[in-house]
Amino acid sequence: MGKGTFIIISSLLLMACSSNSSTISANKAHINTLEQKPFSKSKASKIQSDIYTIYSNEALSVLDTSQPINVLANGFEWVEGPVWSVRNNGLLFSDIPKNIVYLYHHQHGLTEYLENSGFSNGLVISQNKTLILMQSRSRQIAKMRSTLNMPRSEYEVLADSFQGKRLNSPNDGVLASNGSLLFTDPPYGLVGKLNDPAKELSFQGVYKLDKNKQLTLIDDSILYPNGIALSADQRTLYVAASDPSKPTWYQYQLDENLLVMNKKVFYELSAVRDDSHGLPDGLKIHQSGIIFATGPKGIFLFNPSGKLLARINLPSIAANVAFNEDYSMLYITAHHQLLAIKLNQ
């Protein structure tokens, strides 16, 4: 999803920490619409308020506020869909306009992983270690036919329509333990968005795609469904709504078949302007249960009860996030940049 204008603050970039990594140590971004008061610095002596705004001591179980923001790579057009690949020992992520999936490895740096990605957005690695791509501008969900170690631009289409009508623009997905893929289908891959003449569905859906390629509609009421995440017990689903008039995260209680029993607003922000520096977009759940969600001016941290714990203030629009295998690093796809922050374990 591409909203807002990317702002490079060159004074925030400090000396490089490696040949492909630099560090941001200061960012004065603030979100004035929030009413919560930051956690007292006297109670959290390591607060670095230019990057971290702490609202609850609970956030300090995962955040080390002395840690800077590292720039791992830049020069992209719009990066999205990060996922950690154990098989590749690195991070896979999409540059949507360039139609490329990249691999970032902490020793080898950045390499081009997959050309002609179908203009992929979200990426998911299946239980049998294959890559599933939300191919936004191709308007389908596809599985790469080759292995993760030998990627090729050959795909098996898993879903491209619902009840005989083409999907809008599959955006982000999360895999359940039973092999079902839960995904969002906003209009962002269509040139005219909601009013594109090629749009066939009258709504923007949240779906479940099971192992037999059966597609079930979970919700058709969100105007711009975007990021999606599933709790470890498979009973709570989170969906971000990138609606400027109602920027919201929703929470769904699911039954054992991943069907919705209850839906409620998890957290809602005030309406945002064009210069809001982002909207609710991608989100992932840390092993602690804390939700890391991209939004206006950075990343929001919530506990499962919907309490805002902290905010990480970023110099560029954050689209999505991912963790490495042991949750010691947070990776952020941020418009032209790939960023990373070291976390507490």
Side-chain angles (χ1 to χ4, degrees), residues 93-336:
F93 61 98
S94 305
D95 189 329
I96 303 172
K98 288 187 177 180
N99 197 20
I100 292 172
V101 172
Y102 289 97
L103 169 65
Y104 181 83
H105 188 280
H106 71 285
Q107 290 180 329
H108 307 303
L110 185 73
T111 56
E112 193 172 289
Y113 177 80
L114 182 67
E115 292 183 320
N116 300 316
S117 68
F119 298 98
S120 64
N121 188 330
L123 304 174
V124 173
I125 295 176
S126 71
Q127 293 161 328
N128 60 353
K129 307 303 179 187
T130 59
L131 183 65
I132 299 174
L133 305 94
M134 316 299 121
Q135 295 179 325
S136 61
R137 297 185 189 179
S138 300
R139 304 176 68 177
Q140 63 187 22
I141 294 172
K143 179 174 68 175
M144 188 173 69
R145 291 184 183 274
S146 54
T147 65
L148 288 169
N149 289 333
M150 300 183 66
R152 295 194 309 272
S153 303
E154 299 175 6
Y155 307 106
E156 174 189 344
V157 176
L158 302 180
D160 60 5
S161 63
F162 178 70
Q163 296 183 344
K165 296 182 178 180
R166 291 192 68 187
L167 295 174
N168 299 314
S169 174
N171 184 281
D172 201 4
V174 61
L175 198 68
S177 58
N178 69 359
S180 294
L181 177 72
L182 307 176
F183 70 94
T184 57
D185 186 40
Y188 291 123
L190 301 172
V191 175
K193 306 297 187 291
L194 290 174
N195 300 314
D196 195 286
K199 191 176 188 297
E200 298 182 12
L201 291 166
S202 61
F203 58 88
Q204 293 65 245
V206 181
Y207 295 92
K208 179 185 76 169
L209 178 67
D210 69 21
K211 292 189 295 184
N212 298 317
K213 300 184 181 180
Q214 295 298 310
L215 200 56
T216 302
L217 181 64
I218 292 176
D219 192 358
D220 63 358
S221 66
I222 302 176
L223 189 61
Y224 296 107
N226 203 321
I228 188 168
L230 185 64
S231 63
D233 65 3
Q234 314 286 289
R235 290 304 183 93
T236 308
L237 182 71
Y238 301 90
V239 174
S242 300
D243 184 349
S245 64
K246 191 180 180 181
T248 308
W249 290 272
Y250 292 97
Q251 185 184 69
Y252 302 77
Q253 296 304 316
L254 306 178
D255 65 15
E256 63 275 8
N257 297 313
L258 303 177
L259 298 178
V260 175
M261 297 189 296
N262 180 53
K263 172 190 173 184
K264 67 178 182 179
V265 170
F266 179 68
Y267 199 90
E268 183 175 351
L269 301 174
S270 301
V272 300
R273 306 182 305 270
D274 289 341
D275 62 351
S276 64
H277 209 59
L279 286 163
D281 199 329
L283 65 159
K284 296 291 191 302
I285 302 177
H286 187 270
Q287 63 180 353
S288 66
I290 292 174
I291 298 105
F292 284 66
T294 63
K297 294 185 171 67
I299 298 169
F300 294 69
L301 275 68
F302 304 104
N303 70 12
S305 299
K307 179 181 178 181
L308 178 63
L309 305 179
R311 209 175 61 237
I312 303 173
N313 306 303
L314 298 177
S316 53
I317 297 172
N320 213 329
V321 295
F323 304 103
N324 62 347
E325 185 180 13
D326 65 3
Y327 292 85
S328 63
M329 293 292 293
L330 173 70
Y331 294 95
I332 308 157
T333 49
H335 202 170
H336 298 307

Side-chain angles (χ1 to χ4, degrees), residues 13-32:
L13 299 179
L14 296 182
M15 57 191 304
C17 57
S18 71
S19 61
N20 54 18
S21 175
S22 57
T23 299
I24 299 174
S25 64
N27 174 20
K28 301 298 183 181
H30 296 286
I31 301 176
N32 297 322

